[in-house]
Amino acid sequence: MADSSDSVSIDMESISLGGKEYLVKTHHGTVLVAVFGDQDKPALITYPDLALNHISCFQGLFFCPEASSLLLHNFCIYHISPPGHEFGAPPICPDGFMPSVDDLADQIVEVLNFFGLGAVMCMGVTAGAYILTLFAMKYRQRVLGLILISPLCKAPSWTEWLLNKVMSNLLYFYGMCGVVKELLLKRYFSKEVRGNVQVPESDIVQACRRLLDERQSINIWQFLEAMNGRPDLSEGLRKLHCRSLIFVGENSPFHSEALHMTSKLDRRYSALVEVQACGSMVTEEQPHAMLIPIEYFLTGYGLYRATLSVSPRSPLSPSCISPELLSPESMGLKLKPIKTRISLEV
C-alpha cells in the first residue's frame, strides 16, 4: 500500500496497441491504466468485469470502425484494470491488504486526480459497472454519465453468493482450472456463442478462454471476494442524476438485475437497451448493437460522429442540456426498451 504522503505516482509507461500504459500507485494498491487518444479531449473511463481487462472486455466495441468514429473521435479513453488484472501482473499476496468495493471506487478518483481529470464519462461491464456506479454515488461531481453493460447493483443473492464462494475456493486452491473457466464463460457469453456438441465455440469465446489462462488466479480471487461482499446500492440510485444508459443481454444471468436497476433509477435520466440473443458481455458479443443508442446518448452532450463538423472538445456540461434531452425518448428509446436481433447460423 502506498504511503499516505504519496498516494498516486507513476511507475511505468509503455506503448501498447497504439496506447500508453501507466502503472499508478494508490492508497489501495497499484492499478494499470491504458490511455488511448488525445488527452486534451474529454475523458471516458472504462472498468471491466471479473477476470478481464480492457483487451478482453472492450476490444470488440472499440475496434468497430463505427465506434472509432464516435468514441475515439470525441474522447480520450482511460481503461482502468482491477488490481492485478493486467497482462504480466505479479500475484498479489493473499495475506496482505484486501480491498473492498469502496476501496476500488476510491482508487478511481485517485487515478483521475493523477491524470488531472475533472468530470468523466464512465463505461463498465457487470462487476465493473457496479464499481463505477458506486464511484458515481460517492463522487457525483466527477461523473458526467454512465454507460453500463449488464450491471450489478444489489447485494449478492444466496444463489450468486454460493456460486461465487465455490469459484473463490477453486481459484484459491486450484487456480484457473477448467471448472472456473467454464463458470466465467457462462457469466460472460450466451450459449449461442459458447457452442455445444454440434456447434463449435465462437472465436471470441476461444480468445477469452486463452486470455483467462494468463490471469493470476489469486488476483481474480481478491476481486471476486470484494464483489461477493458488496452492499446493495438500490436505495441510493434514485438520487443519481447523471444520465445513464444501460445495456443488458437477454440471456445474461444478470438480466433481472439490470431491470431492477433501471426501475430504481430516475426515469428522466436513464434508459435501458435489451439485446436479444446475447449474454452479459455485449461489448464483445454484439458490439454493433450498442452504437446507435450510444450515439443518441452522446448527442445530448453535443458529441457526434467524426463525419459531422462538430468540435470534439465539448465541455460535456449537463447544465447546458435542455431537460427534454434528458428523457429516454430523446436518446432514441421509444416507449419500450430497444431490442436488437441477430441472425444465428446453426
Side-chain angles (χ1 to χ4, degrees):
M1 187 171 67
D3 183 80
S4 59
S5 63
D6 185 25
S7 61
V8 181
S9 65
I10 179 171
D11 285 334
M12 179 273 287
E13 178 180 343
S14 64
I15 305 299
S16 174
L17 297 175
K20 294 181 179 181
E21 291 187 347
Y22 300 83
L23 276 177
V24 179
K25 286 184 178 178
T26 75
H27 281 101
H28 306 297
T30 302
V31 293
L32 181 134
V33 183
V35 182
F36 292 79
D38 181 357
Q39 290 181 250
D40 288 333
K41 292 182 180 180
L44 185 152
I45 66 170
T46 73
Y47 209 102
D49 192 16
L50 176 73
L52 302 175
N53 57 27
H54 69 279
I55 294 177
S56 50
C57 195
F58 295 104
Q59 182 173 265
L61 175 63
F62 283 94
F63 275 23
C64 288
E66 297 91 343
S68 178
S69 67
L70 180 62
L71 297 174
L72 293 175
H73 171 67
N74 288 298
F75 293 101
C76 181
I77 314 298
Y78 297 79
H79 293 295
I80 302 174
S81 292
H85 278 52
E86 67 273 13
F87 287 119
I92 300 172
C93 177
D95 298 324
F97 174 72
M98 286 283 289
S100 66
V101 288
D102 277 287
D103 296 329
L104 296 176
D106 291 340
Q107 278 186 329
I108 295 173
V109 77
E110 293 192 72
V111 169
L112 298 192
N113 290 341
F114 168 73
F115 287 105
L117 303 175
V120 298
M121 190 70 68
C122 300
M123 178 185 292
V125 177
T126 311
Y130 179 94
I131 298 298
L132 290 177
T133 303
L134 178 59
F135 168 69
M137 293 173 70
K138 295 183 71 173
Y139 303 96
R140 295 180 188 176
Q141 300 304 313
R142 308 299 293 271
V143 177
L144 295 162
L146 291 169
I147 302 172
L148 307 176
I149 299 94
S150 302
L152 302 172
C153 70
K154 295 191 290 185
S157 65
W158 281 109
T159 303
E160 185 196 345
W161 183 89
L162 183 59
L163 180 63
N164 286 346
K165 273 300 177 186
V166 170
M167 189 157 50
S168 180
N169 287 334
L170 288 171
L171 282 167
Y172 191 88
F173 293 107
Y174 301 102
M176 184 57 74
C177 59
V179 175
V180 172
K181 279 191 281 190
E182 291 305 318
L183 290 173
L184 288 171
L185 292 173
K186 286 182 180 180
R187 175 189 177 99
Y188 306 146
F189 300 110
S190 68
K191 60 183 179 181
E192 284 83 3
V193 295
R194 293 201 313 272
N196 51 45
V197 177
Q198 289 80 27
V199 181
E201 285 183 343
S202 69
D203 291 341
I204 58 171
V205 176
Q206 292 179 25
C208 187
R209 187 184 293 275
R210 290 191 296 270
L211 290 169
L212 288 175
D213 285 327
E214 301 176 10
R215 302 277 78 80
Q216 291 284 355
S217 56
I218 201 66
N219 301 352
I220 300 170
W221 171 81
Q222 283 205 355
F223 191 18
L224 180 58
E225 285 289 293
M227 288 303 300
N228 217 24
R230 69 184 186 268
D232 193 328
L233 303 181
S234 300
E235 293 307 311
L237 292 175
R238 186 71 63 181
K239 299 176 183 178
L240 198 61
H241 288 168
C242 67
R243 300 175 71 215
S244 303
L245 178 60
I246 297 177
F247 294 89
V248 64
E250 187 180 50
N251 299 326
S252 167
F254 308 109
H255 181 266
S256 62
E257 184 105 1
L259 298 183
H260 169 80
M261 183 173 187
T262 304
S263 72
K264 294 295 183 181
L265 287 165
D266 191 325
R267 296 185 65 179
R268 294 174 297 170
Y269 308 116
S270 62
L272 171 69
V273 180
E274 293 178 271
V275 184
Q276 293 191 342
C278 188
S280 298
M281 199 152 48
V282 185
T283 51
E284 291 295 311
E285 196 169 338
Q286 290 198 49
H288 286 90
M290 301 178 64
L291 295 174
I292 292 176
I294 290 177
E295 184 170 10
Y296 277 108
F297 181 73
L298 295 180
T299 298
Y301 294 94
L303 299 177
Y304 301 87
R305 289 186 182 276
T307 53
L308 299 181
S309 57
V310 177
S311 171
R313 299 174 188 272
S314 164
L316 285 176
S317 173
S319 62
C320 299
I321 305 171
S322 59
E324 57 269 19
L325 287 178
L326 298 173
S327 66
E329 289 78 6
S330 73
M331 293 185 263
L333 308 179
K334 306 291 186 182
L335 300 177
K336 296 181 180 180
I338 291 175
K339 291 197 175 187
T340 62
R341 297 181 181 273
I342 59 170
S343 58
L344 300 176
E345 297 181 5
V346 180

